[in-house]
Amino acid sequence: MTTQSLFELEQTQDFIRRHIGPDEAQTQAMLNDIGAESVDALINEIVPSDIRLADLPNIEPSKTEVSALTDLKAVASLNKVNTSYIGLGYYGTLTPNVILRNVLENPGWYTAYTPYQPEIAQGRLEALLNFQQMCLDLTGLDLASASLLDEGTAAAEAMALAKRVSKNKKSNAFFISTDVYPQTIDVVKQRAAMFGFDIILGETDDVVNHDVFGALLQYPSATGEVRDISELIAKVHDNKGIVAVAADIMSLVLLKAPGELGADAVIGSTQRFGVPMGYGGPHAAFFTTSDKYKRSLPGRIIGVSKDTRGNNALRMAMQTREQHIRREKANSNICTAQVLLANMASFYAVYHGPQGLKTIATRIHRFADILAHAANTKGLTPLHGSYFDTLTFNLSEERKAEIVARALAKGVNFRTDVANQISISIDETTTRDDLFALFDILFGEDHGLDIELLDAEVRVLEYPSIPESLVRESEFLTHPVFNSYHSETEMLRYIKKLENKDLALNHSMISLGSCTMKLNATAQMIPVSWPEFANMHPFAPLDQAQGYKQMIDELGKWLVELTGYDNISMQPNSGAQGEYAGLIAIHKYHESRGEGHRNICLIPSSAHGTNPASAQMVGMKVVVVACDKEGNVDMDDLRAKASEMADNLSCIMITYPSTHGVYETTIAEICNIVHQHGGQVYLDGANMNAQVGLTSPGHIGADVSHLNLHKTFAIPHGGGGPGMGPIGVKSHLAPFLPDHALVTVNEATKGNGAVSAAPYGSAGILCISYLYIALLGRKGVTDATKYAITNANYLAKKLSQHYPILYTGKNGRVAHECIIDLRPIKAESGITEVDMAKRLMDYGFHAPTMSFPVAGTFMIEPTESESKAELDRFIEAMVCIRDEVRKVESGEWTAEDNPLHNAPHTLADVTGEWNRGYSIAEAVFPVPAAAANKFWPTVNRIDDVYGDRNLICSCPATDTYKD
Ligand SMILES: *Cc1c(COP(=O)(O)O)cnc(C)c1O
């Protein structure tokens, strides 16, 4: 019999030790190397005592996976998932199970990073290229990006593009049709107010009566009308205006493409291509435009280039890290977007193909036709004779109330926000039974209607519900990729084939500095596909969404506790969106005190590129504050600038610990100086993984922060999104948090504009962060921080024997990440940081963050989730690479003929003729660990310059593939 207590036996269920990589023995070994007594002693050395919290955060103790999931299931079951006909950009959809399990629920796809290292990301780059091709074909334009955050923000980006490219330079006005979705209008109006554009809101026909730099129309309209807008577009063009069209992707399968009607930009959501509604997101928005605007396109473009063998190879074109390079001149602040969801939508198109999509869209349209015909028969005439999937009925309030009550009794939601009106949007999930239920609701149970009969009548009707001039004639999805994988076996293998090309967290650590690629626990992912969460429409009546409300409230309460703020807004759906929302709050706060003129935003030179890009979006003027040679904010420069600009100082945007990986001891003083001069402190929360439980932005003295839930709080990166960027604020900023046009988020902020299309952003993935906190509890979330710091210091210590660590704190320690300086190597040997990044692939690793925040460096963040064993493998790789560099330095290998310059190595290299100055084994199995778990990049080094000079953002013809 064991003498262990029951309590000890129960430790097998403890999640904390599953989340944290190093066990006790490994931790001790690391501490010995670091030269610290204990983890706590190390933390005390590193985190300045004056900002430390006295106690553990006041959240519940950790739960086991079983109990956390059981408890969350009970919360989820408070959601009542009605059949939704609300529409407005969110529709029921059937996620093909082969995509659900093998993409959405597959860590090979969801744990990947943004494809900045394209040689080990060809799989998701191909899926994204397919996404672009799908958008190009359906919208009828020639340049697409992949992808944007949601339809509302995509529309706002279209307005910004219109301003940049319109030749009507004298107008400051942008027209929005009242036929646009209300939440889109809300987001665009807010954006316009911040840019200082005038908004003209009018009926669609009214667009020709105004002198505008651009206009936004909806096709089909919010009430479902399908009408020819080509003449209106032409008239706006006569006046040098740019026309953006918000379009429904499914309708475009049957309708003439907006590009063919003259639209300059087409935007919309790809949600209904197989991505669950998730109470508002995450979903990928699309954006297509004309090739001539390629320098102005927001977001990332996937382009086709060549590798060193001359083979086609994919990469992110032009705007790679565009904010980092162009900062306040960037086209937009979009960084994390929606790659996982774009991939799902593109796989949906691949799986169904053009024929399958036609069938789906035609079936939806037929249901709408039958419903319209039935309604006409019953004397209830739809508002529009032309429609795709949405019928609107004008009714007396009395009749409407009756119908809505009957609908609710049958578990059905209509769109009801317009007085005397209901709208019904049919979708792919609608069945005959559903249609029958709709008849009962609309016409009473003794309606006597027969679906077969109605169908037969509809097919011979004289008045087509899609005008002849708007019937799609052009072909779409003709590329072989959309015509090859229609059986499940073929599809399964196609998905797997692409997955195999990508390195994700299920292969090895991805030590992306500032991006916190920690464990995305399986238990945390499971509820994402629970129907109670997945199938909820964002505008469903609140009494049906009580499960979501409870989860969001509880998560909000925890985040308040962990940030030291007073209020949280869950609306921003990325970190950059959070910055935008936070800066708006600051601006409106100043305005409320009669100081709306304050427009200077101080930003240290080490800041992330989204900071200046966001500041620019709210009309602020960026003033850069210098950093000293230790990487800290230059306090003299800060004092001088804050005082010189005191009259107009709006805020500072500062990251803590700094992007240099150090806890600046002057942080409290920085806050004081800015406050003394009337400014607010925006603390970029991307590095919260070095704060949780030990200190907090609120405690430090900041006023507002965003949290990257996809960094600190375990939402996976999805290969470049989704993410969530909720903001925390002190109470004085709370009145200026975002609201929503259709859902009251908070009585106190009613009427404030929105920053995202959905009231709680990408609510569908909040369960991940919720479970992260529930599973770790107060001790676990704090331990996570401590081990993140311990792991980083172990790495820094070990690597410091081979590479200079660029910045450390006073005692030689780093925070949760460290920067190694590769510039001396380049000066000595000519080997660049890029060579080293590519060489890491041969060792089976993804490179750390390259050249941010300092050019010619790696920023390495191991996170708490990596074990000592994995850290040692990475260290070994880095040490071996340093030795390889020495062989170039010593002349043993020439500058051209060495494994660094030629990295990464592929199977094509080693199966062809080999006549290099190093062996095949040195090339591809440089250490036993790499051989034992070999990852083969599928392309050789990709030519960036070629790709940008010859921009191709559509699927290349099959015969252009060399091998
Ligand atoms: C990741 C990051 C951001 C931007 O967040 P997104 O979610 O990608 O928009 C901003 N600041 C810093 C320091 C970051 O690391």
Side-chain angles (χ1 to χ4, degrees), residues 29-266:
M30 293 199 298
L31 289 170
N32 293 346
D33 278 318
I34 296 169
E37 276 289 302
S38 64
V39 169
D40 283 323
L42 180 67
I43 300 303
N44 290 340
E45 273 184 60
I46 294 173
V47 185
S49 55
D50 60 334
I51 59 164
R52 282 291 292 275
L53 297 169
D55 302 308
L56 282 182
N58 182 20
I59 53 181
E60 289 76 5
S62 62
K63 289 183 183 178
T64 65
E65 292 180 42
V66 174
S67 71
L69 282 169
T70 308
D71 292 354
L72 186 58
K73 190 75 184 180
V75 174
S77 65
L78 300 175
N79 285 336
K80 182 172 182 312
V81 181
N82 274 8
T83 307
S84 175
Y85 299 99
I86 299 172
L88 292 174
Y90 304 91
Y91 306 87
T93 181
L94 301 172
T95 311
N97 286 313
V98 65
I99 296 173
L100 177 73
R101 174 153 297 184
N102 298 291
V103 182
L104 180 63
E105 299 179 342
N106 178 354
W109 287 95
Y110 67 69
T111 69
Y113 182 63
T114 311
Y116 290 124
Q117 296 294 339
E119 293 86 356
I120 49 174
Q122 291 294 298
R124 56 194 186 281
L125 285 164
E126 179 167 327
L128 290 174
L129 195 70
N130 295 344
F131 176 88
Q132 290 179 175
Q133 184 70 59
M134 164 188 111
C135 298
L136 293 175
D137 286 359
L138 287 170
T139 62
L141 284 164
D142 46 21
L143 183 73
S145 66
S147 52
L148 295 180
L149 291 164
D150 59 33
E151 178 160 347
T153 54
E157 297 291 348
M159 171 178 69
L161 176 130
K163 185 65 184 174
R164 283 193 290 277
V165 306
S166 170
K167 299 232 159 61
N168 183 346
K169 295 295 175 200
K170 54 189 200 315
S171 171
N172 191 43
F174 187 74
F175 178 91
I176 310 178
S177 160
T178 48
D179 278 336
V180 172
Y181 297 150
Q183 75 275 14
T184 305
I185 296 177
D186 201 20
V187 172
V188 178
K189 270 168 80 177
Q190 168 102 316
R191 201 71 80 85
M194 290 298 138
F195 277 132
F197 302 154
D198 303 320
I199 288 291
I200 299 167
L201 193 60
E203 289 185 10
T204 301
D205 287 307
D206 193 32
V207 68
V208 299
N209 301 323
H210 300 279
D211 178 29
V212 294
F213 68 79
L216 176 65
L217 309 178
Q218 186 106 31
Y219 176 79
S221 78
T223 52
E225 186 180 19
V226 172
R227 59 171 291 191
D228 192 342
I229 47 177
S230 55
E231 273 179 34
L232 299 178
I233 293 175
K235 285 196 175 136
V236 177
H237 284 169
D238 288 345
N239 209 19
K240 300 195 176 77
I242 296 290
V243 179
V245 172
D248 173 74
I249 189 103
M250 188 64 85
S251 74
L252 298 185
V253 171
L254 301 186
L255 298 180
K256 181 166 262 181
E260 292 169 357
L261 301 175
D264 302 288
V266 185

Side-chain angles (χ1 to χ4, degrees), residues 894-910:
T894 68
E896 303 282 299
D897 189 5
N898 67 69
L900 295 138
H901 180 80
N902 293 330
H905 296 83
T906 59
L907 276 167
D909 288 334
V910 302

Side-chain angles (χ1 to χ4, degrees), residues 603-666:
I603 300 185
S605 56
S606 61
H608 194 268
T610 53
N611 291 184
S614 300
Q616 170 273 133
M617 285 170 64
V618 298
M620 288 186 188
K621 198 168 155 268
V622 174
V623 173
V624 176
V625 181
C627 288
D628 64 21
K629 62 181 189 309
E630 273 86 51
N632 300 317
V633 169
D634 179 333
M635 295 301 285
D636 290 337
D637 194 43
L638 173 67
R639 265 188 218 98
K641 285 187 171 137
S643 108
E644 182 194 329
M645 296 170 189
D647 289 347
N648 294 313
L649 181 61
S650 175
C651 60
I652 188 168
M653 292 186 89
I654 185 160
T655 307
Y656 196 76
S658 75
T659 53
H660 290 153
V662 176
Y663 292 92
E664 280 162 280
T665 49
T666 51

Side-chain angles (χ1 to χ4, degrees), residues 22 30 787-796 862-866 871:
M30 293 199 298
Y787 279 85
I789 296 169
T790 305
N791 276 359
N793 276 278
Y794 175 68
L795 259 186
T863 84
E864 69 277 12
S865 300
E866 297 302 339
L871 297 180

Side-chain angles (χ1 to χ4, degrees), residues 555-568 696 707:
L555 176 61
K557 202 182 70 189
W558 291 336
L559 294 179
V560 159
E561 175 66 17
L562 294 176
T563 56
Y565 286 123
D566 300 313
N567 293 77
I568 294 277
S696 73
L707 302 171

